[in-house]
Amino acid sequence: MDHPRERLRLLPELIEHQRVRTTPVRASDFAMPAATPAAGSASAQRLTFDDGTHLFAKIAEDGPPGFLAAEAAGLRWLREATGAVVEPLYADDRLLVEPWIEPAAPTRAHAAALGRDLAAMHAAGAERFGAPWTGYIGETFMDNGAHGPTWTAWFAAKRIAPYLRPSRDNGALDAADVAAVEALAARLDRLAGPEEGPARTHGDLWWGNVHWGADRAWLIDPAAHGGHRETDLANLRLWGAAPLLEEILAAYEEVSPLADGWEERIGLHQVFPLLVHTTLFGRAFRDQLLGIVSHFTKLSY
């Protein structure tokens, strides 16, 4: 249902003065796993109006300045390429409001449509690797600055290196671990397959950020930027594979075939979100990260 523009404009005041009912949204309300990666320092709320209509809101309690605005910018950018991305109806530094989409069971038809939507989104491209806005992933930083002409150089500099020191400082990684990750980063150009230009990527596409509604699958909670399309697809396998993943991938490849051997490179793309998690949560994610690093270290090329 469409919400009047005036209602949307007044939302911060309506929430502050309790003129709209707010109900906390739990992961279990959306059939998400019991233990999921953090979704940032914003609380998720269902807004209910007197006429019985609903909206979804994230309300920032103590997050970094501008991280909800960055998410809204990413949503708008991705929506230029596909209608599968949820629409930001209102956004400021403290509040992000989206339509309320009642959850539904995944279907094969919606999975195939999602694969085609992802292919179209990636094909829309980006001006460069990174993005013009300050980036965040969850509640931590994400450097969207430019670096070099190739994805491998950019990924090493902007998606690996920035998380090594904080992961060592908090005890998640030791000096030998950091050296092993740095050695992997130095070999990316030999491991990552053919170079591709910047794709328009979701940036945090683990399966919990696919919301299944009655009419389609929706992409939510992006860390959008110009990146490598294999990254989005690799992360759909992280922390448990997305429902109907093979249907998603088959439909994707019908529209936009992937380079040979892409499934062998999945772990390379998962290094970034795992480093985010060692930065945020410490040593609990070390073994998963170092398992990937060890696998690629053993390869001879």
Side-chain angles (χ1 to χ4, degrees):
M1 177 181 293
D2 291 336
H3 288 261
R5 186 179 302 273
E6 184 66 10
R7 174 189 281 182
L8 295 174
R9 187 180 66 81
L10 293 174
L11 270 174
E13 183 178 342
L14 293 174
I15 294 171
E16 181 180 358
H17 296 289
Q18 300 181 343
R19 300 292 299 276
V20 58
R21 182 158 56 93
T22 61
T23 308
V25 175
R26 301 163 299 175
S28 58
D29 295 332
F30 294 94
M32 289 167 62
T36 62
S41 55
S43 64
Q45 302 285 333
R46 179 172 179 164
L47 308 182
T48 303
F49 297 89
D50 290 341
D51 60 5
T53 60
H54 308 284
L55 291 172
F56 175 84
K58 288 184 179 181
I59 302 174
E61 306 295 341
D62 57 359
F67 88 104
L68 287 181
E71 181 175 333
L75 287 169
R76 295 186 188 102
W77 184 60
L78 296 177
R79 277 182 61 84
E80 293 175 0
T82 174
V85 178
V86 70
E87 179 183 9
L89 300 175
Y90 177 91
D92 60 28
D93 279 349
R94 180 176 175 270
L95 179 66
L96 174 61
V97 178
E98 301 165 354
W100 177 265
I101 301 170
E102 198 68 28
T107 70
R108 293 183 182 278
H110 292 163
L114 176 60
R116 294 188 290 270
D117 288 329
L118 286 172
M121 184 179 78
H122 291 161
E127 291 186 4
R128 60 170 176 83
F129 297 110
W133 50 80
T134 299
Y136 296 96
I137 183 164
E139 61 184 1
T140 196
F141 65 94
M142 189 175 76
D143 188 346
N144 278 333
H147 184 90
T150 64
W151 176 79
T152 51
W154 177 85
F155 191 74
K158 301 299 183 179
R159 293 295 184 265
I160 293 180
Y163 301 93
L164 294 177
R165 181 171 180 176
S167 293
R168 183 174 179 183
D169 289 348
N170 69 12
L173 303 179
D174 59 28
D177 298 335
V178 169
V181 177
E182 289 176 333
L184 175 65
R187 298 178 63 221
L188 277 177
D189 59 344
R190 284 173 280 170
L191 296 169
E195 279 285 354
E196 296 188 0
R200 190 168 303 206
T201 63
H202 178 284
D204 190 18
L205 196 58
W206 74 286
W207 75 262
N209 283 341
V210 177
H211 179 67
W212 301 88
D215 58 344
R216 71 189 309 163
W218 295 89
L219 302 179
I220 62 173
D221 295 349
H225 63 275
H228 199 301
R229 62 195 181 121
E230 289 180 12
T231 302
D232 275 350
L233 303 179
N235 290 341
L236 283 171
R237 296 184 185 272
L238 196 57
W239 296 299
L244 300 173
L245 178 58
E246 296 312 311
E247 284 80 357
I248 295 170
L249 296 177
Y252 184 101
E253 290 220 74
E254 286 179 5
V255 177
S256 185
L258 292 154
D260 289 345
W262 82 270
E263 290 186 310
E264 299 169 9
R265 298 188 288 271
I266 285 172
L268 289 176
H269 296 272
Q270 293 176 342
V271 166
F272 165 54
L274 288 170
L275 280 170
V276 169
H277 279 68
T278 58
T279 295
L280 286 171
F281 306 117
R283 204 165 178 85
F285 291 89
R286 174 194 177 273
D287 288 350
Q288 190 175 3
L289 170 66
L290 268 293
I292 290 173
V293 172
S294 176
H295 168 75
F296 285 99
T297 299
K298 294 173 183 177
L299 298 180
S300 59
Y301 53 86

